[in-house]
Amino acid sequence: MKGKVYIVGVGPGDPDLITLKAVKVIQQADVILYDRLINESLLNFSKHGDKIYVGKGIGEAWKQDKINDTLVKEAEAGKIVVRMKGGDPTVFGRGEEECLHVSRHGIPCEIIPGVSSAIAVPEVAGIPITSRLVGASGFAVVSGTRVSGELDPDFIPKKGTVVILMGIHDIEKVEKALLMKRKRDEKVAIIENGTLPCQRVIKGQLKDLTKLVKENKVRSPAVLVVGEVIDLSFTLK
């Protein structure tokens, strides 16, 4: 009898932001596949499941095909398989690719939504992503990493808030694309290790984005925010 695969979003870093449904599924798991962006304390919810680290950092050994095949292999052995993903599984998380792959092998698959870093990281840093106070009535979430090449400026709106994920390692190209659609003096915020105690927030102007990232030695994971909402920044004490 075949098992089942759960593609589970576990939130942006702070373990308290995981959902109750995600916890329940993890507790039932026979096998857990997790990557480098997972807060490893979340693995403690599983008392008996085998844990498999699959990497997924730039240059790391596990390729997507190998992850897909492992999900199928474990589920075909009759196991409950949990694929833990940071943030939400289908916000640039390839959760849909993995679910489609196992489904094509006749294995049931369910996606468990997670709190996306695109929204949670700016909020925890004190930056709302929409606000009528500054006329930010919409937002766009854009990936700074594309299989086909550079970030396409067509995905960047001229108004509203822009949130860019996975853009730090290619920051020059990200800045170039943003400047094709946005004003040079617009406010920008760089949030490193968002929602965690070691979180850093660096603010400046869009024209200085690359300089800010390099001078402050910003490392992944980091979220970029562009827009007037940055003027509304608040800090909780």
Side-chain angles (χ1 to χ4, degrees):
M1 181 177 179
K2 292 183 178 179
K4 182 174 181 177
V5 173
Y6 291 90
I7 312 295
V8 180
V10 298
D14 181 349
D16 289 342
L17 295 177
I18 192 172
T19 67
L20 288 174
K21 187 166 186 178
V23 171
K24 291 176 182 178
V25 170
I26 292 168
Q27 289 172 334
Q28 299 169 10
D30 297 309
V31 181
I32 296 173
L33 279 69
Y34 69 101
D35 58 39
R36 72 180 187 92
L37 293 180
I38 300 300
N39 190 313
E40 292 193 15
S41 68
L42 297 175
L43 296 172
N44 294 331
F45 287 120
S46 173
K47 302 303 181 184
H48 68 280
D50 294 329
K51 285 84 172 177
I52 303 174
Y53 176 69
V54 301
K56 293 297 290 178
I58 295 173
E60 290 186 322
W62 278 70
K63 302 298 183 182
Q64 189 62 52
D65 287 347
K66 184 177 180 180
I67 294 173
N68 292 347
D69 292 343
T70 302
L71 293 172
V72 170
K73 177 184 176 181
E74 297 291 348
E76 286 183 333
K79 299 176 182 179
I80 300 299
V81 184
V82 167
R83 172 70 167 106
M84 293 174 65
K85 289 182 170 290
D88 181 88
T90 65
V91 180
F92 310 131
R94 298 186 181 180
E96 75 292 346
E97 295 179 29
E98 295 170 356
C99 211
L100 284 169
H101 182 82
V102 299
S103 295
R104 287 167 183 154
H105 284 76
I107 298 166
C109 181
E110 182 178 346
I111 292 179
I112 308 298
V115 176
S116 174
S117 61
I119 297 173
V121 167
E123 286 178 340
V124 172
I127 300 171
I129 61 169
T130 65
S131 177
R132 65 179 184 174
L133 298 176
V134 292
S137 58
F139 67 95
V141 182
V142 183
S143 171
T145 300
R146 300 185 70 226
V147 174
S148 58
E150 297 183 12
L151 172 60
D152 189 342
D154 288 344
F155 288 106
I156 300 171
K158 293 182 178 180
K159 296 182 180 180
T161 307
V162 181
V163 180
I164 297 182
L165 308 181
M166 303 179 295
I168 292 301
H169 75 281
D170 219 0
I171 194 63
E172 294 95 342
K173 293 179 181 178
V174 169
E175 179 184 308
K176 178 182 176 182
L178 284 166
L179 287 173
M180 291 181 182
K181 289 293 188 74
R182 311 292 295 220
K183 297 177 181 178
R184 292 175 56 81
D185 60 354
E186 271 200 270
K187 297 291 179 63
V188 63
I190 306 157
I191 309 164
E192 180 187 72
N193 292 314
T195 78
L196 296 174
C198 58
Q199 171 179 288
R200 264 201 310 166
V201 182
I202 301 158
K203 298 177 183 177
Q205 294 184 320
L206 178 54
K207 62 183 176 64
D208 299 319
L209 179 57
T210 298
K211 180 181 178 182
L212 289 168
V213 167
K214 292 186 174 181
E215 286 187 348
N216 289 280
K217 298 180 179 179
V218 178
R219 303 189 61 166
S220 176
V223 173
L224 309 176
V225 186
V226 180
E228 294 178 314
V229 290
I230 295 170
D231 287 330
L232 302 176
S233 299
F234 58 90
T235 302
L236 298 178
K237 300 296 184 181

